[in-house]
Structure formats: C-alpha cells, structure tokens
C-alpha cells in the first residue's frame, strides 16, 4: 500500500473542559450541530418514555368507560328483573283471587239471605279481609254513576229522579286487583227521563 492511499487518523477532542488548563472550551461550529442532534435524540427518548404513560392513561380511561357502561347495563337488567318479578307475583295473586270470586259471590248471597251466622260469618269475614288486604277491591254500589269501562249494564230503566246514567241495582259485584280489572259489575242502570219530570 502506498502512503497516498492511507487515510490519516483524525482525533476530535470533544471535552468541554480542557484537561491541560482546566478552562471551559468554546464549542466549535461543527460541535454545536452534533450537540443539537444529541439533545434532540435525548428529547425523543424522553418523549418515548412519556408516551407509554399517556398510552396507559388512555387505556385506563377506556377501561373505566367500559366498566361504567357494564355497570349501568347490569343496574338496568336488575331493575327489569325486579319489575318482571313483581308483575309475575301480582299476576299469580290475581289468578288465585279470580278463582275465589265465586266463593265471595256465594258468601255475599248467603249474607243477603241471612244464612251467614256464627262461625261461618267469622270465617267469611276473615276471608274477605285477607283478600282485600292482598289488593282485592270490590266495586259496584247502588247510586254510583254508570261507567261502561267497569260496569256491565244488563237492565235499563228511565226515571226523572236521576240526573244521568246511574247504577240502581247491583246484580253481581265487580272486582279490581290493583290496577287490573278482574270482573266488571253486572248492574241495572236508570237513565234520566226529562218527559217524566213534566
């Protein structure tokens, strides 16, 4: 190999403090560019370290939102199940009470004929009290205003003594269970007759 082909070895001393004098050296122009690149690399590394924290926070926020959504869905499900359970319990009670309406009719007829006395009267009173405490409500009384949604008219008369359609006789009592109509009342209705008043 010839001397022309050999490249000289160049050593750059980048120490900021001169080892011989102990003084701070002024950076050369080429060193400033290198230092800027090195500083930019450090900042990029710091940003890379900061990115995992931001990414972790974003994942945490996403998981928290998912958890809140699931919790709201579960609360709605629980409310729906509780509401369905109450509806089913009320329907079951209503079914049992509907089966007992015939017994109540017999008790009412026996009381009207004077056959309900002594121990039988005590038992019938308890039966009626228990059914009413569970939500059974009788309706259909003489003198009520006729309401076609809860009364079933089987007789119709006219009279000047009433001002509008009025229940004048109850042939079979009607019953409600809560908001549910179990049976309409069979009634005789008397309507106002203006000509009879003259």
């Amino acid at each position: 190999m010839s001397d022309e082909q050999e490249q000289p070895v160049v050593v750059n001393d980048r120490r900021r403090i001169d080892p011989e004098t102990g003084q701070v050296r002024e950076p050369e122009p080429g060193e400033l560019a290198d230092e800027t690149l090195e500083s930019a690399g450090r900042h990029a590394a710091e940003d890379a370290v900061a990115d995992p924290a931001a990414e972790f926070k974003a994942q945490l926020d996403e998981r928290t939102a998912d958890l809140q959504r699931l919790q709201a869905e579960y609360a709605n499900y629980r409310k729906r199940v509780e509401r369905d359970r109450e509806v089913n319990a009320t329907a079951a009670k209503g079914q049992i009470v509907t089966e007992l309406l015939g017994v109540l009719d017999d008790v009412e007829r026996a009381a009207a004929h004077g056959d309900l006395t002594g121990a039988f009267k005590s038992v019938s009173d308890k039966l009626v009290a228990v059914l009413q405490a569970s939500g059974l409500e009788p309706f259909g009384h003489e003198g009520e205003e006729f309401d076609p949604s809860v009364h079933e008219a089987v007789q119709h008369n006219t009279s000047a003594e009433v001002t509008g359609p009025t229940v004048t006789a109850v042939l079979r009592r009607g019953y409600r269970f809560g908001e549910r109509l179990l049976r309409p009342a069979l009634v005789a209705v008397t309507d106002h007759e203006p000509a009879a008043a003259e």
Side-chain angles (χ1 to χ4, degrees):
M1 274 191 161
S2 66
D3 290 336
E4 294 175 5
Q5 292 178 351
E6 287 185 20
Q7 301 247 344
V9 177
V10 178
V11 176
N12 291 329
D13 187 5
R14 294 184 183 209
R15 293 182 282 186
R16 297 197 62 139
I17 297 177
D18 189 352
E20 293 176 7
T21 62
Q23 298 294 324
V24 176
R25 293 183 185 170
E26 291 295 322
E28 295 181 17
E31 288 180 2
L32 278 177
D34 290 343
E35 193 172 301
T36 305
L37 285 174
E38 187 178 314
S39 172
R42 260 197 319 268
H43 289 304
E46 288 173 3
D47 289 345
V49 170
D51 280 345
E55 184 178 332
F56 178 73
K57 173 119 176 60
Q59 288 178 356
L60 179 64
D61 291 344
E62 183 181 340
R63 298 297 188 274
T64 303
D66 289 345
L67 183 61
Q68 289 172 341
R69 189 170 41 255
L70 283 172
Q71 188 175 12
E73 287 176 7
Y74 177 70
N76 289 338
Y77 168 76
R78 197 174 64 219
K79 288 176 188 175
R80 189 171 55 249
V81 166
E82 188 63 33
R83 188 173 52 242
D84 290 347
R85 185 180 299 140
E86 288 176 12
V87 167
N88 290 339
T90 302
K93 286 180 185 177
Q95 183 64 34
I96 292 170
V97 169
T98 302
E99 300 285 332
L100 292 173
L101 292 183
V103 175
L104 290 177
D105 291 340
D106 292 343
V107 166
E108 192 172 337
R109 278 193 289 273
H113 288 87
D115 295 337
L116 196 60
T117 58
F120 291 117
K121 178 160 179 29
S122 174
V123 171
S124 70
D125 290 345
K126 285 181 184 177
L127 174 66
V128 170
V130 166
L131 290 174
Q132 287 181 350
S134 69
L136 183 67
E137 179 188 344
F139 66 89
H141 304 285
E142 292 181 11
E144 287 181 343
E145 183 179 338
F146 176 72
D147 181 358
S149 64
V150 295
H151 297 127
E152 187 175 330
V154 292
Q155 292 179 357
H156 186 265
N157 297 317
T158 55
S159 171
E161 296 176 6
V162 295
T163 57
T166 306
V167 174
T168 50
V170 178
L171 306 174
R172 185 184 74 189
R173 196 162 310 284
Y175 290 96
R176 282 189 200 92
F177 189 75
E179 298 296 318
R180 184 174 154 205
L181 177 68
L182 294 180
R183 183 176 80 184
L186 292 179
V187 296
V189 180
T190 301
D191 211 344
H192 180 65
E193 185 179 11
E198 294 173 1

